Amino acid sequence: MSGHSTYVPKSNAGKWLEERLPIISLMHGAAVSMPNPRNLNYWWVFGGIAMFMLIVQIVTGIVLAMHYTPHADMAFSSVEHIMRDVNWGWLLRYTHANGASMFFVAVYIHILRGMYYGSYKAPREVLWLLGMLIYLLMMATGFMGYVLPWGQMSFWGATVITNFFEVVPFIGDDIRTLLWGGFAVDNPTLNRFFSLHYLLPFVILGVVILHIWALHVPGSNNPLGIEPKTKQDTMRFHPYFTMKDLYAIVLFAIVLFYFVFFNPNFMGHPDNYIRANSLVTPPHIVPEWYYLPFYAIVRAIPDKALGVAGMFGAILIMFVVPWLDTSKVRSAKFRPAYRIFFWVFLFNGLLLGYLGQVSTTDDFLGIHGVTNLLISRIGTIYYFGFFVVILPVLGLIEKTKPLPNSISEAVLGVEGAKAEAEEMAANESKA
Amino acid sequence: MHNLTKNITSLAKKSALVLALASSFATPAFAAGGAISGGPEFKHVDWSWAGVFGTFDRAQLQRGYQVYKEVCASCHAMELVKFRNLSEAGGPEFSKAQVKVLAAEYEIEDGPDAEGEMFMRSRKPKDALPSPFANDNAAKASNGGALPPDLSLIAKSRGHFSFKDMFMGRDGLSGGPNYIYNLLVGYEDEVPEYITKYYDHKNEEGLKADPDYTESHFELGDSNFNNFFPGYKLAMAMPLDDDSVEYSDGTKATLAQQAEDVSTFLMWAAEPKMEIRKSIGIRVLLFLIILAGLMYAVKRRIWENVRH
Amino acid sequence: MADTSKVEEPGRRDFLYIATGAFGALGVGVGAWPLIDQMNPDASVKALASIEVDISSVGEGESITVNWRGKPVFVRHRTAAEIKLSVETPLEDLVDPEEDAARAEKPEWLVMVGVCTHLGCIPLGEAGKYNGWFCPCHNSTYDTAGRIRSGPAPKNLEIPKYTFISDTVIKIG
């Protein structure tokens, strides 16, 4: 990361530290002098936003843990104690609950941006893998966090998800018992989920640091998908991208706090305001919205074991995308056919999200004879087909558009780039 | 100018996507009543507390407490609400002295005393509203096997947080109280015609298609008919009628008035910090919008001479 | 890298940057307050303000300890000798001078928070060379009115707010 640093310590204390631990030049290289492609658009701000949301979640989470009691008899009341008695407790809890959703919104956009512009392709495969690992850890953290209020949806969500593990051959039963710490979801389950829910965000933070490290070796991809060649193609990270990211973070915070203050329960489920009851199952068990596409996939597959395998496979297949995509061209800007399949993939994801929370036997949007189950199956086939058929085959047969010579030529035109290059050279010789 | 248009378009695209995500994942509307059409319309009450600037009407909350206390509390507990809450800002705002008197009307077991004996004392502001039954089993035994739910969070655990409500400035929370209101006014002495007609029609169609078709009818049994309860069969008998309580402030206690008052009280009980939440929220959002404007100016100033 | 030469020096402190920075800093500062204030006593803790103590069974020369806001409160029925000892102590001998009358509303009843003013341990009763209380943690010694006489503690034992509801019931807090 320190490769790009132009930091030279000025004070004696700075020199002293630099010789012993070059942490300032490391951070300088990562957040100040790092060269970034000048043509990044606003889709590139969501990495910074996701980082901001992670910090919001960790800070509010630590504070909430000061008041929460991870015991089956007291968890529900302790959450209500936070809402009613703790100073600003309602604000902290609503921020944490809605923050989780908004964190996922940012990360989903971040992932989809990477898919659209081919950011996962060489030499950024490790960057992508680390990102997927973060996503997987977020899913686990979010799930365990949703269990903590110990409402009906917490309890039954935990029951359904842990029962997925039963399909593992031979040892499924044992894994499930191990997760539960008993013969059903109960106090030991709640306790360990709390412990892990507190731990995992720090693991995520660690992987985020690796993710940033892996970003700074090849540098950011860009909307053109071609590597920067000359100094003209890039800008310093600070102030250009720091200020752009901060501006975007403030805009994102407006959306977050709109939900926190004016619609705090919109993304939750009413049943979670009912105390967990191990003898009554709610009529519809619906996971948090960010799992819904995967929940639709598990329900679309008739066999239990295959369904669970399909659900986990749907997540794991994302890890190997860099090796499934055979196209030499990164950006969808120059891949007219891929662009269409991508938008269909996005729409299909939203559709599966919708299908994840409606009854499978009902008619799809009221169309007689077309069940939600049928549409879920078509959606599932497209989801997997996109990865295992479209990505490998399309790369081989697609006729891509010609790529520009360089980023600066694309932005400034051939003449403009030449003029700017000359000016820069003149300035440098002056200096 | 070019920059600005570009930014606006990309922002518009971004927000469109966020909204698309949100809308497609919105939780399904709580089914009010069953699926049978022809019943009375579900009323959306024009709550004083709905919307970004909405606040509770103190007098209404106090009346709502009276309905709760004189009617609901004989079967339903409210263990998360403490008497002291009744005098806190943003609630019914009884005076501290009034709350002491209200609390002292009930007793609570305390102890052990110096001799190790449990004893009864009158409730204090720090104590919870009383529970009518010692435990769930006792509550079921006294109510024909049906458990009257605790009412502390009923307004948030029923009904939906709908997308429409969100943009209608209804706080997204009015689903619950609307449901409670409609439930309270939605009782019928006899099974109404639209239900019997529905079954008659179904049987007729069924017999046409298959002569061995077994007819089905709506059986009320020991339950009470309610137009807005899922499945229409509600264990709770009609709790309110005109003049079930006599309001001390002289408001005429019609059924609709009482239902509105108690629904509002239950909304407050479930979300006691709603008023402070909204008032701080307006300031936070205003602040963020100004900050966003400033940040936008800074960003533009920095990128002024850079084509990108 | 492109263009850095063309723009004004980015660190230039013109009005816009200062205003934005100040505004942002204000937001962070105000935003930090809920995160700090949440650690203050919450509404349910504040509501547990007062307790009532029945002292009818506490004989002369006996003490009871009751729990008030999570802390021990000593209620001692003092003997005439103890009162005399305290009243006759010259104020100049005291580290934290206070009349005996200021320590006990009714001379025979001494009500104090039983927390050593040094570092918060609970002193032992009827101990130490002043026949009052003795803190085993760092040897602070209190007299029969709970006044500090020797050792590292800086102040007399705290007297909570209390009133006699009747001859036999004290309301503390």
Side-chain angles (χ1 to χ4, degrees), chain B residues 84 88 100 114 124 126 286-287 290-291 294-295 297-298 301-307, chain C residues 3 6-8 10 14 16-17 19-20 23-24 26-28 43-44 47-48 50 52:
Chain B
R84 65 182 158 82
E88 282 165 7
K100 270 190 189 163
K124 295 176 183 168
K126 67 171 181 182
L286 275 178
F287 172 86
I290 295 170
L291 183 61
L294 285 168
M295 280 306 304
V298 167
R301 170 82 52 97
I302 287 169
W303 283 84
E304 209 164 32
N305 296 319
V306 186
R307 287 181 61 192
Chain C
D3 279 66
K6 275 188 193 168
V7 276
E8 305 143 89
D14 68 3
L16 176 64
Y17 296 154
T20 311
F23 221 69
L26 176 78
V28 172
S44 64
L48 305 172
S50 61
E52 283 167 20

Side-chain angles (χ1 to χ4, degrees), chain A residues 4 36 46 60 124 156 209 216 247 266 292 386 402 430:
Chain A
H4 309 293
N36 237 18
F46 286 93
T60 51
R124 295 185 181 84
W156 291 99
I209 291 170
H216 283 241
Y247 167 53
F266 178 64
L292 286 174
F386 179 81
K430 243 188 271 169

Side-chain angles (χ1 to χ4, degrees), chain A residues 252-275:
Chain A
F252 198 79
I254 292 176
V255 181
L256 166 67
F257 285 110
Y258 164 72
F259 280 108
V260 169
F261 287 111
F262 297 108
N263 213 342
N265 293 299
F266 178 64
M267 290 184 269
H269 196 288
D271 277 3
N272 227 24
Y273 281 112
I274 303 171
R275 239 174 241 277

Side-chain angles (χ1 to χ4, degrees), chain B residues 123-291:
Chain B
R123 285 187 192 237
K124 295 176 183 168
K126 67 171 181 182
D127 295 313
L129 302 190
S131 301
F133 302 104
N135 52 54
D136 284 0
N137 288 352
K140 276 188 203 166
S142 311
N143 287 283
L147 176 69
D150 185 280
L151 293 184
S152 316
L153 284 166
I154 203 84
K156 287 205 284 188
S157 63
R158 295 292 185 279
H160 57 114
F161 309 121
S162 84
F163 213 55
K164 196 176 120 212
D165 276 357
M166 172 178 156
F167 288 110
M168 300 299 279
R170 287 176 181 275
D171 187 63
L173 271 174
S174 54
N178 274 331
Y179 171 70
I180 295 166
Y181 171 86
N182 282 281
L183 197 76
L184 290 172
V185 301
Y187 281 90
E188 306 270 0
D189 295 336
E190 279 166 22
V191 178
E193 221 179 51
Y194 75 96
I195 299 284
T196 45
K197 267 191 181 159
Y198 169 84
Y199 278 89
D200 289 350
H201 180 73
K202 201 175 137 196
N203 291 334
E204 210 174 290
E205 295 286 309
L207 280 171
K208 248 188 250 165
D210 172 13
D212 293 335
Y213 177 83
T214 356
E215 288 191 17
S216 58
H217 296 279
F218 185 86
E219 304 285 355
L220 198 51
D222 290 336
S223 304
N224 303 281
F225 188 90
N226 192 299
N227 285 310
F228 301 102
F229 190 69
Y232 305 102
K233 290 182 249 185
L234 184 49
M236 173 170 74
M238 185 167 166
L240 288 175
D241 208 335
D242 286 339
D243 301 312
S244 287
V245 301
E246 194 180 323
Y247 283 135
S248 49
D249 67 358
T251 307
K252 196 166 161 22
T254 59
L255 171 59
Q257 182 69 45
Q258 294 170 80
E260 255 184 59
D261 292 349
V262 80
S263 302
T264 296
F265 175 73
L266 292 172
M267 183 68 238
W268 167 78
E271 189 74 7
K273 304 289 182 186
M274 189 189 81
E275 286 191 8
I276 188 170
R277 191 185 80 216
K278 286 178 182 174
S279 75
I280 290 180
I282 289 162
R283 280 173 257 176
V284 168
L285 283 198
L286 275 178
F287 172 86
L288 284 173
I289 288 166
I290 295 170
L291 183 61

Side-chain angles (χ1 to χ4, degrees), chain B residues 64-134:
Chain B
Y65 173 68
Q66 192 186 345
V67 176
Y68 161 77
K69 178 181 145 187
E70 291 177 18
V71 182
C72 315
S74 53
C75 295
H76 294 272
M78 213 173 200
E79 56 178 27
L80 296 172
V81 178
K82 312 282 191 286
F83 279 105
R84 65 182 158 82
N85 297 139
L86 295 171
S87 64
E88 282 165 7
E93 297 186 5
F94 287 107
S95 72
K96 285 218 158 84
Q98 279 174 308
V99 166
K100 270 190 189 163
V101 175
L102 289 174
E105 287 177 30
Y106 303 94
E107 288 205 311
I108 189 171
E109 189 177 54
D110 200 352
D113 62 13
E115 277 77 44
E117 301 293 327
M118 300 303 280
F119 59 92
M120 297 304 282
R121 62 161 173 82
S122 57
R123 285 187 192 237
K124 295 176 183 168
K126 67 171 181 182
D127 295 313
L129 302 190
S131 301
F133 302 104

Side-chain angles (χ1 to χ4, degrees), chain A residues 310-426:
Chain A
M311 188 188 75
F312 283 106
I315 300 165
L316 295 177
I317 202 167
M318 303 270 285
F319 280 82
V320 291
V321 162
W323 296 277
L324 290 174
D325 188 351
T326 52
S327 175
K328 294 275 181 293
V329 176
R330 288 199 191 112
S331 173
K333 220 174 176 148
F334 306 106
R335 300 184 62 189
Y338 172 73
R339 200 156 55 198
I340 295 164
F341 286 112
F342 170 84
W343 287 115
V344 175
F345 176 80
L346 173 65
F347 174 76
N348 184 54
L350 294 172
L351 182 69
L352 284 173
Y354 165 76
L355 292 164
Q357 44 112 46
V358 292
S359 165
T360 46
T361 49
D362 283 357
D363 285 345
F364 176 68
L365 301 177
I367 303 166
H368 188 66
V370 184
T371 61
N372 286 323
L373 185 64
L374 179 70
I375 304 294
S376 302
R377 287 185 175 157
I378 296 170
T380 303
I381 290 167
Y382 183 80
Y383 182 90
F384 285 105
F386 179 81
F387 290 110
V388 297
V389 180
I390 294 170
L391 281 184
V393 174
L394 196 62
L396 301 175
I397 58 171
E398 186 179 26
K399 191 168 160 21
T400 56
K401 290 189 197 162
L403 295 174
N405 284 327
S406 74
I407 294 171
S408 48
E409 262 192 43
V411 174
L412 305 168
V414 181
E415 290 306 311
K418 220 181 263 174
E420 197 181 274
E422 278 161 17
E423 195 183 329
M424 278 175 81

